[in-house]
Amino acid sequence: MSVKVSSDDFTEQKILSKIAQLYYVDDLNQQKIAAKLNISRTKVSRSINKAKQSNIVSIKINSPLEKFIELESALEKVFELKECLVVPSNEDPAQVYGNMAVLLAELLDRLLDDGDMLGIGWGATLKNISASLVPLKKMNIKMVPLLGGLGKVGIEIHTNSVSSMLGQKYGGLSYAIHSPAVLDSRQAKEIMEKDSGVSEIFKLCEKIETALIGMSDLGEDSTLIKTGNFSIDDFKYLEGLGAAGDVNLIFINEEGKEIKNKLDERLLRMSPERLKKVKNVIGAAFGPQKIRVMLGALRGEFINILLTDENTAIELIKNA
Amino acid sequence: MSVKVSSDDFTEQKILSKIAQLYYVDDLNQQKIAAKLNISRTKVSRSINKAKQSNIVSIKINSPLEKFIELESALEKVFELKECLVVPSNEDPAQVYGNMAVLLAELLDRLLDDGDMLGIGWGATLKNISASLVPLKKMNIKMVPLLGGLGKVGIEIHTNSVSSMLGQKYGGLSYAIHSPAVLDSRQAKEIMEKDSGVSEIFKLCEKIETALIGMSDLGEDSTLIKTGNFSIDDFKYLEGLGAAGDVNLIFINEEGKEIKNKLDERLLRMSPERLKKVKNVIGAAFGPQKIRVMLGALRGEFINILLTDENTAIELIKNA
DNA sequence: TCATATAATGCACATAGTTTCAATAATTTT
DNA sequence: AAAATTATTGAAACTATGTGCATTATATGA
């Protein structure tokens, strides 16, 4: 009896391997295999599936980019992302920005059509990527800032400059927001909100389907401190509340929960509720200090497309 | 300029690898990949092809039987066979016969249906394979000898015994031919041919679509000598004409040409012309001494399905 | 810069592959 | 050994994939 079973297994494996070979290696179609082996096409189809499931067939992607692709697939699955793009890590951040720019150009080419709007967040990463981005083709897209200006004149990280740079490169239009992102009082913010120019932009934001945002940590080196918009005490206060950083000036913790705080009422930026409704939110960031805020942005689903580097990708997966 | 080209290549390879990964590894269909990446389904299809052609995708068959499958594919191509089956070589011929029997059972299961006829040739190989064959399922098939009897009573290699053994195993019918294969004179052969029993069988032969035959060399150990049907002088005479051996008592050289000879008119067997019309002719043989006659049978297209062992398969490919 | 050649794109159709379902065959249980 | 259960099968309906062709976009050369 056992002899019979083992010869059945042998026979089965033989025929599965043979069919797999004919299909995948010799490139016959299922119809031809069926005719050749005198079996039904249905059986060929089922045998191929069986061969795949029993690992008789192994398919591999051979590419120098393979490891990045695998990281991307893993992150897409773990954080339920629409898409993830990973570039090689490099000691020289300029290299990383450059590679990110190449992938971002390809991504935007797929995501945007003539007439579409692109929401723009803030951050050094965004600024640097945008600087080296070369559009695949010109498009009549409209750049819309998602928050007020940050930084003083001369420190060009404010959203308007990123918007206008991208607008110029794409040959499209860029809107400017004529208000700071951080105001002195709730009253001041409410007044700015009602300003016709500002409110027009926030009205446009309602229709945005694609946005590009950065993620920032609360370290002392943070651009927010450098620009003078926030003090070290502000950061300590936010850390005390459990914040890990911000996405588009929305402060969040590592778990992805928004950290409501006393500063919120003075911030002029797209609301968390609205941001979560945007179809494609591309978040770009890398580096060990960003891990916590990135985890928050991913877990809280503030972003659904991630652009990062290899080392950061590995860390994110470890902590997933 | 060169920078732009290389980043285009990078971008292209990236997207091809990504699509290939999604398709082959993550098992998304083309429609879903298209939706995910915001491109047309057509483009996905074309990208997958490009990825295959540029060897980004490599497909391998993993199976302990892989090397046999590869030999089979190679032989099928080189000799334009309908099918080829290769079993592991083994010092113990009984093991080889056993494995051949397993594959033959599976083959016959595919080739034959209820009511079909199976033509049976002669030879020690056939006898031994048939002895260990276990049918996959019972079938009402009819065994028809393709030549007269060989050997004396007690030396059971004559076709009738192979036929009846297989007939019993399959639960089918086996015809017996009541005449020797080698007669004393042309007249004797012509008389036997007219015998009602014999002519009935040769009439059945006309309708045969599947046949199982052996291939025999002209060595002194050949069964034909042992049975006394041929003398060493006969063999020397045939060798002198360039014969390498026989398929169903049709003498052929290494190139596949039939060697007409003075013995032919005394042989009672299916004609070469008729044999070549049979849809499926399964030839089974192995061993170094058989190489020449097997090459002839393959090149002369006397057989279109080959059943052999690994070492013989390798030799055949070397000499192809 | 414009005209021309060349390549990329997506639609509509053609081909290929999978799944459902009803029938048949194999297996297990009684 | 008969009955009940489970697995296998192939035809047909469905889904997925590939391709020819007209169109649009891109590159090339005058």
Side-chain angles (χ1 to χ4, degrees), chain A residues 11-23:
Chain A
T11 304
E12 155 119 298
Q13 197 178 30
K14 185 85 206 296
I15 196 83
L16 290 187
S17 311
K18 179 119 193 177
I19 291 173
Q21 163 94 13
L22 291 169
Y23 190 68

Side-chain angles (χ1 to χ4, degrees), chain A residues 41 44 52 60 104 119 138 167 198 204 259 264 272 274 291 318:
Chain A
R41 203 181 73 264
V44 174
K52 272 199 273 187
K60 230 195 100 203
L104 180 61
K138 303 274 173 184
V198 172
L204 285 177
I259 304 293
D264 282 342
R274 176 59 202 141
I291 297 287
K318 272 191 200 154

Side-chain angles (χ1 to χ4, degrees), chain A residues 9-53:
Chain A
D9 282 358
F10 172 80
T11 304
E12 155 119 298
Q13 197 178 30
K14 185 85 206 296
I15 196 83
L16 290 187
S17 311
K18 179 119 193 177
I19 291 173
Q21 163 94 13
L22 291 169
Y23 190 68
Y24 288 109
V25 183
D26 300 346
D27 261 315
L28 298 195
N29 66 28
Q30 298 190 358
Q31 189 69 263
K32 285 196 175 150
I33 296 171
K36 181 184 168 81
L37 301 183
N38 248 63
I39 53 182
S40 73
R41 203 181 73 264
T42 311
K43 196 166 181 175
V44 174
S45 171
R46 290 202 251 249
S47 298
I48 290 167
N49 264 323
K50 231 177 184 176
K52 272 199 273 187
Q53 282 172 356

Side-chain angles (χ1 to χ4, degrees), chain B residues 10-205:
Chain B
F10 172 80
T11 304
E12 154 120 299
Q13 198 178 30
K14 185 85 207 290
I15 196 84
L16 289 187
S17 311
K18 180 117 191 179
I19 290 173
Q21 162 94 13
L22 290 169
Y23 190 67
Y24 287 108
V25 183
D26 300 346
D27 262 313
L28 296 196
N29 67 26
Q30 299 189 359
Q31 191 69 260
K32 285 196 176 153
I33 296 171
K36 181 184 168 80
L37 301 183
N38 248 63
I39 53 183
S40 74
R41 198 187 51 69
T42 313
K43 195 166 183 174
V44 174
S45 172
R46 285 178 175 134
S47 299
I48 289 168
N49 264 324
K50 231 178 183 174
K52 270 199 275 187
Q53 281 172 357
S54 48
N55 291 320
I56 289 175
V57 179
S58 73
I59 304 183
K60 230 196 99 203
I61 309 302
N62 295 314
S63 157
L65 303 166
E66 193 194 341
K67 60 177 173 179
F68 305 108
I69 304 276
E70 278 170 6
L71 286 170
E72 291 171 0
S73 272
L75 283 165
E76 284 169 14
K77 264 171 226 149
V78 174
F79 293 111
E80 291 180 356
L81 291 167
K82 282 185 96 145
E83 190 164 348
C84 175
L85 299 167
V86 174
V87 299
S89 291
N90 197 302
E91 295 215 345
D92 177 7
Q95 294 292 321
V96 180
Y97 292 133
N99 284 324
M100 282 180 145
V102 172
L103 295 195
L104 181 61
E106 192 272 332
L107 176 66
L108 292 178
D109 186 64
R110 285 190 274 120
L111 255 27
L112 299 172
D113 275 328
D114 247 46
D116 284 352
M117 291 189 296
L118 175 62
I120 308 283
W122 76 277
T125 311
L126 245 51
K127 192 202 119 194
N128 286 303
I129 295 176
S130 307
S132 36
L133 185 140
V134 179
L136 258 56
K137 60 168 183 273
K138 303 274 173 185
M139 274 190 287
N140 189 27
I141 52 178
K142 294 164 194 155
M143 309 296 163
V144 183
L146 299 177
L147 73 170
L150 283 166
K152 307 193 173 12
V153 176
I155 308 180
E156 291 266 307
I157 59 102
H158 47 76
T159 38
N160 290 343
S161 80
V162 175
S163 296
S164 75
M165 183 157 53
L166 285 178
Q168 278 177 359
K169 288 191 173 185
Y170 273 97
L173 195 66
S174 70
Y175 292 87
I177 196 161
H178 299 298
S179 158
V182 188
L183 290 121
D184 290 340
S185 65
R186 184 160 69 91
Q187 287 75 13
K189 182 224 168 185
E190 279 165 4
I191 288 166
M192 279 317 298
E193 253 177 348
K194 282 173 194 137
D195 172 84
S196 64
V198 172
S199 78
E200 194 198 335
I201 287 185
F202 277 91
K203 213 173 273 168
L204 285 177
C205 281

